[in-house]
Amino acid sequence: MVDYNLINSFGNLDDELDSAVATVYGNSDLDLDKLVKGGEVQDLVSGNIIKGIISARVSDDFVVDLGRKSEGILEKGEFDEPEKVQIGDEVQVLVEDVDGDHDQVRISKRKADRIINWEAIMKSKKEGDPVHGKVTKKIKGGLLVDIGVPVFLPASQVDIRRPGEISDWIGRDIDAMILKIDEERRNIVISRRKMIEVQREELKKKTLEGLKIGDIVKGTVKNIADFGAFIDLGGIDGLLHITDMSWGRLNHPSEMLKIDQELEVKVLSIDMGKEKIALGLKQKDASPWENIEQKYPVGSVHDGEVVNIMSYGAFVKLEEGVEGLVHISEMSWTKRINHPSEVVTQNMKAQVKVLEINKEKQEISLGMKQVEENPWERVAEKYPPGSVIAGKVRNIANYGAFVEIEEGIDGLLHVSDLSWTKKIGHPSEVLKKGEQIQAVVLSVDQEKQRIALGLKQMQEDPWQTVIPQNYRPGMVVHGQVTKIANFGVFVELEPGLEGLLHISEISDAKIEKPEDAVKVGQEVEVKILRVDSDERKIGLSLKRAAWAQEEESAKRTARSAPRSAASAAVWKAASSPAAWAISRSAALLPKANRPTATRRRSNPAKPSRDGNVAAIAS
């Protein structure tokens, strides 16, 4: 069957073929039809094919007796194997020209052979038949092949894969298939590619029928890609994936295979519908993972080689085909490692400990630090609670500071352990990064690898003795407003020690906002209401301090004035709790509203804060 689409894709090559054929046959005006169909004649007429006898050899040429006292000369190039030509051999030649005056006849054996062969091919060959020939010449669009007559082999039909330079095929014997015979123009188009495809299709069918999963078969490497190699099994290619080439690490298939290399592979799977075959090379040998738990039990230590370094860890080869991962967190007990390359290098020898094995996933977790002593096992012994350490502030966070005690071992200094008395909002108020400090070890948790440190514990807790002794309830003390909140005011009594002045203790008058009565930085006299050592709080009162001051002032005035019997009675009445309550209330009023010395009136009796009823006269 003729593939007309394929034929049409070659374009118009008739002129090129005619020219090439004419070169072989000589005069393009020859009546080939007559020569081919007319049979053999012995007339010495230009264009006839006649028989002759090799009668002599002159130098490299042969003399041919043509009869009728006529001779012709054949150059040795007219014969494929001139060394085998013998005197007396019969040959058929084409009469090209006759010189009657000198009885000289120009003849050609090769052209006669072409004409005779064409007749034979027309009788014996048809489109689709196989032919054998030799590539003789490169012409436009392809090659000229001698199969007895010159035929055209398009460049696209030389091979399944387009060759780089088709002129390399000149001189090679090839098998091909006839694609087209044009009897009118006397040319033939052949295809080596079509022949290969037909052969491969037949071979593929035969190969697929004979293949079984698990078979060991021979093949040839035809193509290599990044992901694997294609192996010709005979008419069909199978894929040998890179992961099925070796149990060990392989970066590229070219490290193991070469084009046209012959090898044996194992059939892993066959998809008849898609005509796909998966092959394996490593599966010919036993998997090194079969007895992995026995060879590398968890807890055992082995020597390995670093074969790959990633951002998250390093792969260490224990044997060919067996690699384990050393995670970056398993490289050192103490060093802070940002990248594994800080610890390991490619091809470095390393001692590792097996931490975990997953045979199903073919994964092994390894550790490097586990082959060394864990310094945290000695931390409790070296730094027992209560001991004092010296270290450098390595980092500061909102909740505290990390202090480096030794390389890789940090302790946490919590913000609540910085000061006994001062309210610290952020550790940076007390500490600086890089600062050398001393601290007390509060606790050690070896399992969680944590050490708690304290800075305030370097001194005695003032809330136990000093503060309760120096600040007793009922005392009036001096302080400075440091912070104002909606519920009250914080007053600093001494550096690092604050008390809370609740909004209800600022004034007898109702106050909505503390800042309406006091300002930050204002000096105040406050009375201590309570001291709570457990809660570490001091309660203060501004209004009660004012009351105490007024009472003391009134008492001093009364003691300094002379008393008569009448005045003593007045003094006694004025000293009653009810009178003092009225007096203190008036003192807390704005000046414009206070009673003056010129205003004399009697105040009605009213309950005092201690429940007594009294009257006071001004």
Side-chain angles (χ1 to χ4, degrees):
M1 176 180 278
V2 181
D3 189 342
Y4 289 105
N5 291 329
L6 180 60
I7 296 296
N8 293 334
S9 69
F10 301 148
N12 184 12
L13 298 172
D14 291 336
D15 293 341
E16 185 74 18
L17 284 172
D18 289 346
S19 175
V21 172
T23 302
V24 177
Y25 291 142
N27 187 353
S28 59
D29 295 331
L30 251 105
D31 189 351
L32 297 181
D33 223 21
K34 176 183 176 182
L35 290 174
V36 172
K37 297 178 181 179
E40 296 180 4
V41 293
Q42 286 298 117
D43 294 336
L44 288 176
V45 178
S46 178
N48 284 351
I49 293 177
I50 62 174
K51 289 182 179 180
I53 303 295
I54 303 296
S55 60
R57 181 166 183 170
V58 180
S59 186
D60 287 336
D61 298 333
F62 296 91
V63 179
V64 181
D65 182 2
L66 302 175
R68 299 183 184 182
K69 300 180 180 181
S70 298
E71 293 180 337
I73 302 297
L74 289 176
E75 297 177 355
K76 69 174 184 178
E78 292 283 332
F79 298 90
D80 292 332
E81 297 176 309
E83 66 277 3
K84 294 183 179 181
V85 178
Q86 301 291 327
I87 302 299
D89 286 350
E90 184 179 274
V91 294
Q92 288 183 313
V93 294
L94 173 68
V95 178
E96 293 188 286
D97 190 26
V98 178
D99 186 346
D101 296 334
H102 299 90
D103 292 331
Q104 292 291 323
V105 181
R106 187 158 57 87
I107 59 176
S108 172
K109 175 184 177 299
R110 194 169 291 280
K111 291 180 181 179
D113 290 343
R114 296 289 189 270
I115 295 170
I116 294 169
N117 288 337
W118 176 265
E119 181 182 11
I121 287 174
M122 290 298 101
K123 291 180 180 179
S124 63
K125 298 293 182 182
K126 63 182 182 298
E127 292 168 345
D129 286 353
V131 291
H132 180 82
K134 186 174 185 178
V135 180
T136 58
K137 182 181 179 182
K138 177 182 178 181
I139 62 174
K140 180 181 178 182
L143 299 170
L144 205 62
V145 181
D146 183 3
I147 63 169
V149 296
V151 296
F152 177 57
L153 173 61
S156 63
Q157 299 301 303
V158 173
D159 203 352
I160 292 178
R161 299 178 182 86
R162 189 177 181 91
E165 179 52 60
I166 61 173
S167 59
D168 294 339
W169 287 77
I170 295 176
R172 292 174 60 175
D173 288 327
I174 64 168
D175 290 309
M177 178 182 288
I178 297 176
L179 288 183
K180 175 188 175 186
I181 298 177
D182 189 338
E183 294 188 45
E184 183 180 347
R185 300 185 72 93
R186 296 292 190 271
N187 60 43
I188 297 175
V189 178
I190 63 172
S191 171
R192 179 175 176 271
R193 175 177 179 173
K194 190 71 173 178
M195 168 72 79
I196 295 173
E197 288 176 345
V198 171
Q199 291 174 345
R200 283 179 64 86
E201 190 64 31
E202 293 174 355
L203 190 57
K204 178 175 70 174
K205 185 178 179 181
K206 183 179 178 181
T207 301
L208 280 172
E209 289 174 351
L211 275 183
K212 298 189 302 295
I213 294 175
D215 284 354
I216 303 296
V217 295
K218 289 184 178 180
T220 305
V221 179
K222 286 301 179 185
N223 194 21
I224 296 176
D226 292 339
F227 55 84
F230 290 96
I231 312 298
D232 183 3
L233 303 177
I236 186 170
D237 289 349
L239 174 62
L240 176 58
H241 198 271
I242 187 172
T243 56
D244 292 311
M245 291 183 181
S246 171
W247 291 110
R249 179 174 292 273
L250 194 63
N251 296 316
H252 195 274
S254 59
E255 296 177 12
M256 285 191 66
L257 304 176
K258 295 180 180 179
I259 297 294
D260 295 329
Q261 176 183 344
E262 293 185 355
L263 73 168
E264 285 188 339
V265 289
K266 188 173 185 177
V267 179
L268 303 182
S269 66
I270 303 173
D271 188 332
M272 289 294 189
K274 296 181 179 179
E275 296 184 346
K276 290 184 178 181
I277 303 173
L279 305 174
L281 193 59
K282 71 180 185 183
Q283 286 81 0
K284 291 171 57 183
D285 303 319
S287 169
W289 288 86
E290 285 183 4
N291 302 313
I292 199 70
E293 295 97 337
Q294 288 73 33
K295 289 190 290 184
Y296 303 101
V298 173
S300 59
V301 177
H302 305 272
D303 292 325
E305 179 185 355
V306 177
V307 292
N308 197 19
I309 300 175
M310 308 297 289
S311 60
Y312 51 84
F315 288 93
V316 176
K317 182 174 74 174
L318 301 177
E319 66 173 81
E320 194 65 34
V322 178
E323 295 177 5
L325 172 65
V326 180
H327 194 267
I328 190 171
S329 63
E330 304 295 346
M331 291 186 169
S332 174
W333 290 113
T334 57
K335 290 182 180 178
R336 297 175 186 88
I337 303 170
N338 296 315
H339 194 276
S341 58
E342 299 173 12
V343 179
V344 297
T345 57
Q346 192 77 14
N347 303 323
M348 170 182 144
K349 301 297 181 182
Q351 198 172 52
V352 292
K353 189 172 186 178
V354 179
L355 305 180
E356 186 181 354
I357 295 177
N358 188 326
K359 183 178 179 181
E360 185 179 344
K361 294 183 178 180
Q362 296 189 353
E363 295 176 348
I364 299 181
S365 296
L366 303 174
M368 291 175 62
K369 68 182 184 182
Q370 285 80 3
V371 299
E372 301 173 349
E373 182 186 13
N374 183 359
W376 278 95
E377 293 177 357
R378 298 181 292 106
V379 164
E381 179 184 340
K382 289 178 66 177
Y383 308 107
S387 60
V388 177
I389 60 93
K392 181 174 69 174
V393 178
R394 187 179 62 83
N395 197 17
I396 296 177
N398 292 332
Y399 50 85
F402 290 94
V403 179
E404 185 178 53
I405 301 172
E406 61 179 66
E407 186 181 11
I409 296 181
D410 289 350
L412 174 61
L413 184 54
H414 196 269
V415 65
S416 62
D417 290 311
L418 293 177
S419 173
W420 289 113
T421 57
K422 187 176 180 180
K423 294 188 180 297
I424 300 172
H426 194 276
S428 59
E429 298 174 14
V430 179
L431 302 172
K432 292 181 180 179
K433 191 174 180 179
E435 179 183 358
Q436 292 285 343
I437 64 167
Q438 285 189 324
V440 176
V441 177
L442 303 181
S443 64
V444 177
D445 188 333
Q446 284 191 178
E447 185 177 346
K448 295 182 179 179
Q449 298 186 355
R450 293 177 182 175
I451 299 178
L453 302 176
L455 187 62
K456 68 184 183 182
Q457 287 80 1
M458 293 289 293
Q459 301 171 348
E460 182 185 0
D461 185 358
W463 284 95
Q464 299 303 316
T465 56
V466 177
I467 292 177
Q469 290 175 1
N470 295 342
Y471 300 93
R472 298 183 300 276
M475 293 178 60
V476 175
V477 294
H478 182 80
Q480 185 181 47
V481 177
T482 55
K483 286 180 284 187
I484 297 177
N486 58 356
F487 54 83
V489 177
F490 289 95
V491 179
E492 185 180 56
L493 305 179
E494 65 177 63
L497 180 62
E498 291 181 344
L500 174 62
L501 174 58
H502 195 269
I503 189 172
S504 63
E505 294 296 333
I506 294 178
S507 172
D508 279 336
K510 186 176 181 181
I511 296 176
E512 297 292 338
K513 297 180 181 179
E515 55 265 30
D516 293 340
V518 293
K519 305 296 181 186
V520 173
Q522 180 179 336
E523 303 287 339
V524 292
E525 296 287 334
V526 289
K527 187 175 183 178
I528 298 175
L529 299 181
R530 58 190 173 278
V531 177
D532 190 334
S533 296
D534 293 335
E535 296 291 329
R536 301 179 187 276
K537 294 179 180 179
I538 298 178
L540 305 175
S541 174
L542 180 62
K543 66 182 182 180
R544 296 178 192 273
W547 296 349
Q549 290 173 358
E550 292 173 3
E551 289 177 0
E552 184 62 29
S553 177
K555 288 179 180 179
R556 284 199 301 269
T557 301
R559 284 196 297 268
S560 62
R563 302 180 184 175
S564 61
S567 63
V570 173
W571 166 250
K572 183 177 180 180
S575 300
S576 68
W580 282 114
I582 295 171
S583 174
R584 281 194 295 268
S585 297
L588 291 172
L589 292 174
K591 290 184 178 181
N593 298 329
R594 294 181 185 177
T596 62
T598 58
R599 295 173 62 189
R600 305 176 64 89
R601 68 181 180 85
S602 297
N603 288 322
K606 61 180 287 187
S608 66
R609 284 180 175 80
D610 57 7
N612 297 324
V613 177
I616 184 169
S618 57

